[in-house]
Amino acid sequence: MKHLLSTADLTREDAVELLDEAARFEQALAGREVRKLPTLRGRTVMTVFYENSTRTRVSFEVAGKWMSADVINVSASSSSVNKGESLRDTAKTLRALGADALIVRHPASGSAAQIARWTNDGTDVLGLASTGPSVINAGDGTHEHPTQALLDAYSLRSKFGSLDGRKIAIVGDVLHSRVARSNAQLLSTLGADVVLVAPPTLLPTGVDTWPVRVSTELDAELPGADAVMMLRVQAERMNGGFFPSTREYAARYGLNDNRMALLPAHAAVLHPGPMLRGMEIGFDVADAPQSVVLDQVRAGVHVRMAVLFRLLASNSSDAGVPAHHQSGESQ
């Protein structure tokens, strides 16, 4: 693997290996007073975010620092972007400055793949020939968010073991959700039975070609669901009336206490965050024992460590023995 741009690029074997790697990192770090591994010492990881983020950006930063990488955050609001610099020039500049990995969030679908094309050759900051940095898609428009899907799969696998045959309902604003697209592909690849539940106005054109089933009736899907993933209603991406009111949306598609009672006792509740409590998900539901929302957040660090390891260290001639199989700490 050189880049991680889409879950469609992952075979079942690829996905399982990444999840297994994340589990090894979690185990290696468990109980450590100093959470530091030398795995990526000497590597430079840059996060480049053109949209707001808490969970994704911070977890990538934590992942890189726990692996001893040099992590540099580049914010569009405080960079030359505000002076009119193009995305292409920004990407090439960061590549010339020695980035080994660019973690990119951008409002335009396809932007991460374009950056990978722009930065795939040239020289680095020392003038040495280089094949360019690895590019990780941290969310591109309404297209994909592959590491979110991986951490969701990790959270579900931690609870259920194999995902084969598990019914997972993804509920809400599918139309504008890159999380829904990535999860629909990845969870299906891992053997889950995925059903998308949304009002007709929030289902994208071409959804019938996705490897999922589609429903508009949430109550009918809950009794047999092993997990329910609630999506954020992305009002900032809406330029029209996709539903009559927030109250009606909550009444038909919000996961409230009454709907929780329809779920099997073992079912898990997920949400990628940030949560709109009282609309997409009930106040009590978000904190219920069935909720694995904070498990998702914790899983995000280990999954992103696995992705960085796979892209930057696992195929490197100087990587040596993976740090999480070593007993020593970095100095």
Side-chain angles (χ1 to χ4, degrees), residues 174-176 181 196 199-210 214 242:
V174 177
L175 177 63
H176 302 101
R181 285 166 173 77
L196 303 179
T201 53
L202 290 177
L203 289 169
T205 302
V207 71
D208 55 315
T209 65
W210 296 15
V214 177
F242 288 87

Side-chain angles (χ1 to χ4, degrees), residues 44-55:
T44 300
V45 175
M46 298 187 185
T47 65
V48 190
F49 278 55
Y50 286 73
E51 291 183 325
N52 295 332
S53 172
T54 299
R55 295 156 189 78

Side-chain angles (χ1 to χ4, degrees), residues 4-326:
L4 179 59
L5 305 174
S6 167
T7 53
D9 297 333
L10 298 174
T11 64
R12 181 183 175 109
E13 182 181 26
D14 291 332
V16 170
E17 286 179 357
L18 282 169
L19 298 179
D20 288 345
E21 196 72 63
R24 286 191 285 270
F25 274 115
E26 181 177 15
Q27 183 178 18
L29 291 167
R32 282 186 179 234
E33 184 177 347
V34 178
R35 288 174 287 189
K36 203 78 167 177
L37 302 171
T39 317
L40 296 182
R41 183 187 293 148
R43 305 286 186 174
T44 300
V45 175
M46 298 187 185
T47 65
V48 190
F49 278 55
Y50 286 73
E51 291 183 325
N52 295 332
S53 172
T54 299
R55 295 156 189 78
T56 302
R57 183 169 193 161
V58 172
S59 63
F60 265 118
E61 183 175 358
V62 170
K65 289 183 175 180
W66 282 3
M67 299 170 80
S68 302
D70 296 312
V71 182
I72 299 170
N73 295 318
V74 181
S75 174
S77 62
S78 58
S79 72
S80 292
V81 172
N82 271 351
K83 298 179 180 179
E85 184 172 66
S86 69
L87 178 62
R88 181 179 186 274
D89 287 340
T90 297
K92 283 185 166 289
T93 296
L94 298 177
R95 184 245 183 280
L97 287 171
D100 293 301
L102 292 175
I103 300 163
V104 181
R105 171 167 290 187
H106 196 277
S109 297
S111 54
Q114 187 61 64
I115 287 172
R117 287 190 287 269
W118 285 331
T119 60
N120 69 354
D121 57 15
T123 56
D124 63 15
V125 69
L126 299 177
L128 302 174
S130 171
T131 58
S134 293
V135 177
I136 300 171
N137 183 1
D140 60 335
T142 60
H143 179 225
E144 284 239 26
H145 193 350
T147 58
Q148 177 69 45
L150 283 164
L151 72 88
D152 292 339
Y154 186 87
S155 302
L156 289 168
R157 198 178 74 153
S158 297
K159 182 174 178 62
F160 297 125
S162 171
L163 298 185
D164 285 312
R166 293 289 183 178
K167 179 182 175 181
I168 301 171
I170 300 177
V171 183
D173 185 5
V174 177
L175 177 63
H176 302 101
S177 177
R178 52 198 174 206
V179 172
R181 285 166 173 77
S182 289
N183 267 296
Q185 179 64 55
L186 181 66
L187 295 176
S188 296
T189 297
L190 291 171
D193 172 20
V194 180
V195 55
L196 303 179
V197 185
T201 53
L202 290 177
L203 289 169
T205 302
V207 71
D208 55 315
T209 65
W210 296 15
V212 299
R213 187 167 56 83
V214 177
S215 172
T216 59
E217 298 297 329
L218 178 56
D219 290 352
E221 301 297 337
L222 294 177
D226 295 295
V228 180
M229 183 182 300
M230 305 306 295
L231 300 173
R232 183 174 69 87
V233 174
Q234 300 187 35
E236 74 277 10
R237 300 187 190 277
M238 297 180 182
N239 55 9
F242 288 87
F243 46 84
S245 68
T246 57
R247 177 176 293 183
E248 180 167 328
Y249 181 92
R252 293 205 59 191
Y253 294 98
L255 188 61
N256 53 33
D257 292 336
N258 291 335
R259 290 201 168 100
M260 278 289 289
L262 298 176
L263 287 167
H266 69 270
V269 175
L270 300 89
H271 196 297
M275 295 183 288
L276 298 182
R277 294 180 183 237
M279 181 179 174
E280 308 149 353
I281 189 166
F283 286 88
D284 293 336
V285 172
D287 300 317
Q290 296 93 326
S291 172
V292 296
V293 172
L294 292 180
D295 294 326
Q296 292 172 267
V297 175
R298 284 186 286 267
V301 177
H302 302 123
V303 163
R304 285 161 178 142
M305 291 176 77
V307 170
L308 288 170
F309 175 76
R310 172 68 72 85
L311 297 182
L312 299 183
S314 63
N315 295 320
S316 173
S317 60
D318 61 355
V321 179
H324 47 291
H325 298 309
Q326 302 173 356

